[in-house]
Amino acid sequence: MFREFKNYILEQDLEITFKKNSVMIVNYISIDHFESEKIIVKCEDKTVIIKGENLRVKKLLKDEILIVGIIKNIELR
Amino acid sequence: MINFLRRKIIINAKGRNIKRFIKKLNANKIELLKIDYISDGEVNVLIYKDNYEKVLELKSIYEIFDTESYGIGKIKKIMKVCKFLILSFIVGLVLFIILINLVFDIEVVHSDKDLRKLISNELKERGIKRYHFKKSYVEISKIKNEIIKKYPNKIEWIEIEEVGTKYIVRVEERKINKIEENNTPRNLIAKKNGVVKQIINHRGEQVIDLDTYVNKGEPIISGEIYLNEKVMGKVKAEGKVYAEVWYNVKTTYPYTSYKEIKTGKRKKTLVLNFLNKDIEFSLNKYEHKKSKEKVILKNNIIPIYLSLDNQEETKLIDQVLTFDEAVIKAEEYSIKQMESKLNGKEYIIRSKNLKSVLKDSKIELEMFFAVYEDITAYMEIGEEDAKK
């Protein structure tokens, strides 16, 4: 319960939001790979691989990244 | 909110592998709030102004230009450019507020010029004047009360109405019917027949002695001043005369009567009244009762209402009096009736039962009363002559 409460306050969990032609990842750690066809984002215990065309980073904050482009595949490893 | 106000700038970055540069910035914990790709080798990035120096340090082969400010910086920039416009707006707003709160005209509505002037002066004294600020509702109420209190005989009510930048003051003058002093010479005369017992003479010449029997209309204090049996002058006689006046009063009193006595039982009952007819919601209704009505629901259109009545049970007891008892009751009743007609210094000197007769189950009583009574009346001297 305490963990849930702490998470509710601090919002530490990984969050991936997919909308048409954009993916928002909250609480990432770093960008491992950055190309027009593939972007690899490293999170705490997972890695998110986004494949598509003309992929670009639209917003890049400390804990938030917004990727836009023609998204064909999102892989969570 | 803090981030919204934080100073931001848009930088233009050019280079061969711009994505690497973005990655580099990210690795150095520089937040990129918005990235617009112009071409493969050119981007516009929105960053916090604090990070700008750091970006310049990291630029290496990339070309960096700052293009536009946001946040507080942008506000400052806009304010600098539009300072005259903003200043004019503020000055205009302040001026507008001042103007709508000023009084440009005061109109006192009344036909009497003096009263208008009086009200205007009073308002001026209390700060309601032209080219001065308007007063609050509380202040105006206070001023109105003060003026009314100051002139209770002149002003009935006053209303100060605010119409735009003008005060319209409506006043109603208090009209007191002045008692016209009439100095027409008059005599103080007897209102009734009686034996004079006290004369209080304020003005005029006393022409009747105490313990003298006077007839109705006979002068007691004369307005004509005599000297050597010659009228030397005429005054308005004034005073008070008390006399012993005799009355014969006839009273009838019933032999049988009833008395209403409370039994001590009481209850609350819902009663519906429709067209002056009571419909009581109770199983044990009192045959005789006294009720106090408390209306709960009422309709103003239809004559109907619901009330919660406080009822007290009463009993009617028939009383049959003996002849003597009936006479005593009749006497008491007669005295009470006489006393109710007296006022001030007046009182019953003595009374006597003259005759008591039984007629149709009623007592017919004839009582004599000698009453100490005010018999003062006035008659103008000319009027008296005219009557003669």
Side-chain angles (χ1 to χ4, degrees):
Chain A
M1 192 181 155
F2 177 72
R3 208 183 140 198
E4 278 174 14
F5 180 71
K6 189 181 162 190
N7 187 46
Y8 176 74
I9 299 294
L10 301 172
E11 295 180 352
Q12 287 175 326
D13 278 359
L14 170 69
E15 238 178 71
I16 302 168
T17 314
F18 172 65
K19 284 183 186 170
K20 196 186 175 186
N21 297 333
S22 70
V23 180
M24 165 84 93
I25 303 166
V26 179
N27 291 323
Y28 78 98
I29 290 173
S30 63
I31 302 168
D32 268 13
H33 186 82
F34 184 9
E35 288 294 329
S36 297
E37 287 81 28
K38 188 177 166 187
I39 296 174
I40 300 170
V41 180
K42 210 178 162 188
C43 302
E44 201 177 39
D45 51 354
K46 295 266 190 314
T47 304
V48 185
I49 302 161
I50 297 150
K51 288 176 187 169
E53 282 173 32
N54 198 20
L55 295 178
R56 285 170 296 172
V57 175
K58 187 82 181 163
K59 189 177 173 184
L60 195 60
L61 305 180
K62 275 176 196 164
D63 54 356
E64 193 181 312
I65 178 167
L66 175 68
I67 296 157
V68 293
I70 303 160
I71 293 152
K72 289 181 176 167
N73 183 291
I74 302 170
E75 202 179 319
L76 195 66
R77 278 187 195 166
Chain B
M1 183 68 191
I2 295 164
N3 283 342
F4 171 75
L5 289 172
R6 220 168 136 188
R7 295 176 74 181
K8 299 170 203 110
I9 56 161
I10 291 180
I11 56 164
N12 179 268
K14 279 181 193 165
R16 269 178 63 193
N17 194 345
I18 207 73
K19 282 168 188 163
R20 189 181 288 168
F21 177 64
I22 289 169
K23 216 176 151 187
K24 199 175 172 183
L25 293 176
N26 178 244
N28 282 281
K29 309 261 181 223
I30 293 168
E31 287 188 310
L32 311 176
L33 306 171
K34 194 181 169 192
I35 306 163
D36 287 325
Y37 294 84
I38 294 157
S39 64
D40 281 348
E42 190 179 354
V43 281
N44 277 343
V45 186
L46 179 70
I47 58 165
Y48 289 121
K49 177 93 182 186
D50 322 341
N51 293 330
Y52 184 58
E53 293 293 320
K54 213 170 170 183
V55 171
L56 290 179
E57 281 171 25
L58 296 167
K59 72 171 191 176
S60 62
I61 54 161
Y62 297 96
E63 287 175 37
I64 304 289
F65 305 100
D66 64 324
T67 55
E68 208 178 336
S69 300
Y70 280 91
I72 281 264
K74 189 165 187 177
I75 295 168
K76 270 187 182 175
K77 205 172 165 183
I78 291 168
M79 282 183 78
K80 205 173 172 183
V81 174
C82 309
K83 64 182 172 191
F84 290 110
L85 191 74
I86 293 164
L87 204 69
S88 312
F89 176 74
I90 292 167
V91 170
L93 192 71
V94 171
L95 209 66
F96 175 71
I97 291 167
I98 290 171
L99 288 175
I100 61 165
N101 280 296
L102 276 180
V103 180
F104 285 93
D105 195 13
I106 298 164
E107 188 188 344
V108 181
V109 184
H110 199 273
S111 54
D112 188 348
K113 196 182 167 187
D114 294 334
L115 190 70
R116 283 206 306 265
K117 204 174 174 184
L118 176 92
I119 296 295
S120 298
N121 289 337
E122 286 300 328
L123 293 174
K124 251 182 211 173
E125 264 180 38
R126 286 164 177 81
I128 298 184
K129 42 188 162 182
R130 285 174 88 183
Y131 311 122
H132 279 67
F133 281 107
K134 287 176 185 171
K135 301 276 178 191
S136 69
Y137 176 77
V138 179
E139 282 174 308
I140 284 181
S141 300
K142 204 179 152 191
I143 290 168
K144 283 193 292 191
N145 287 334
E146 277 176 10
I147 296 173
I148 290 171
K149 268 187 187 175
K150 197 173 173 184
Y151 302 101
N153 297 330
K154 274 192 178 173
I155 297 161
E156 186 73 42
W157 59 262
I158 182 168
E159 187 53 52
I160 302 170
E161 194 188 341
E162 186 187 316
V163 181
T165 54
K166 184 178 176 181
Y167 274 139
I168 296 176
V169 185
R170 296 178 205 280
V171 201
E172 184 65 42
E173 192 182 356
R174 178 160 287 178
K175 281 175 184 160
I176 297 169
N177 294 329
K178 285 175 189 169
I179 301 158
E180 280 180 30
E181 262 204 39
N182 184 1
N183 286 317
T184 316
R186 65 180 186 185
N187 291 330
L188 190 152
I189 58 160
K191 191 161 63 179
K192 292 172 180 175
N193 299 350
V195 180
V196 177
K197 289 289 170 190
Q198 192 187 5
I199 299 171
I200 304 161
N201 187 359
H202 293 304
R203 199 184 297 146
E205 201 171 301
Q206 188 180 325
V207 290
I208 297 283
D209 293 326
L210 289 179
D211 292 324
T212 310
Y213 186 86
V214 287
N215 289 313
K216 186 184 172 185
E218 201 174 321
I220 299 166
I221 298 171
S222 174
E224 289 172 327
I225 311 295
Y226 289 90
L227 185 73
N228 299 329
E229 291 180 359
K230 220 179 169 187
V231 179
M232 295 306 288
K234 286 178 183 175
V235 292
K236 187 185 167 190
E238 215 160 281
K240 209 122 210 179
V241 176
Y242 290 93
E244 187 183 313
V245 182
W246 303 324
Y247 293 98
N248 272 5
V249 179
K250 279 185 180 173
T251 315
T252 52
Y253 198 85
Y255 252 113
T256 53
S257 63
Y258 71 88
K259 210 176 180 183
E260 198 173 8
I261 299 168
K262 286 177 188 173
T263 61
K265 284 184 186 173
R266 50 177 66 202
K267 66 175 179 180
K268 284 187 176 178
T269 312
L270 269 175
V271 178
L272 183 75
N273 183 295
F274 181 66
L275 291 169
N276 285 333
K277 266 203 163 185
D278 284 343
I279 303 156
E280 212 173 285
F281 298 105
S282 172
L283 293 172
N284 305 313
K285 291 179 187 172
Y286 294 147
E287 200 181 339
H288 301 287
K289 61 187 177 270
K290 280 189 173 178
S291 292
K292 273 185 187 171
E293 213 175 61
K294 191 181 172 188
V295 177
I296 306 168
L297 281 171
K298 195 178 177 182
N299 193 305
N300 292 329
I301 303 161
I302 310 161
I304 186 168
Y305 67 85
L306 185 72
S307 64
L308 185 69
D309 288 8
N310 260 326
Q311 296 184 343
E312 265 190 290
E313 194 187 31
T314 55
K315 253 185 184 177
L316 298 179
I317 298 168
D318 289 327
Q319 280 184 321
V320 183
L321 305 170
T322 63
F323 179 80
D324 292 338
E325 280 173 341
V327 170
I328 292 166
K329 289 268 180 193
E331 280 177 11
E332 283 172 1
Y333 178 73
S334 187
I335 291 168
K336 222 180 221 177
Q337 288 290 101
M338 178 54 74
E339 278 175 341
S340 68
K341 286 173 189 166
L342 307 178
N343 45 41
K345 283 182 174 181
E346 297 170 342
Y347 61 92
I348 297 168
I349 301 167
R350 59 187 179 279
S351 62
K352 199 181 174 185
N353 182 346
L354 297 176
K355 199 167 77 181
S356 38
V357 185
L358 173 65
K359 200 178 178 184
D360 300 333
S361 72
K362 281 177 185 173
I363 285 282
E364 271 190 11
L365 180 76
E366 199 178 334
M367 286 272 285
F368 166 80
F369 287 98
V371 180
Y372 183 82
E373 198 180 325
D374 181 4
I375 58 158
T376 312
Y378 294 100
M379 187 181 274
E380 286 180 10
I381 288 169
E383 205 177 310
E384 192 185 20
D385 294 339
K387 272 190 179 180
K388 277 175 187 175

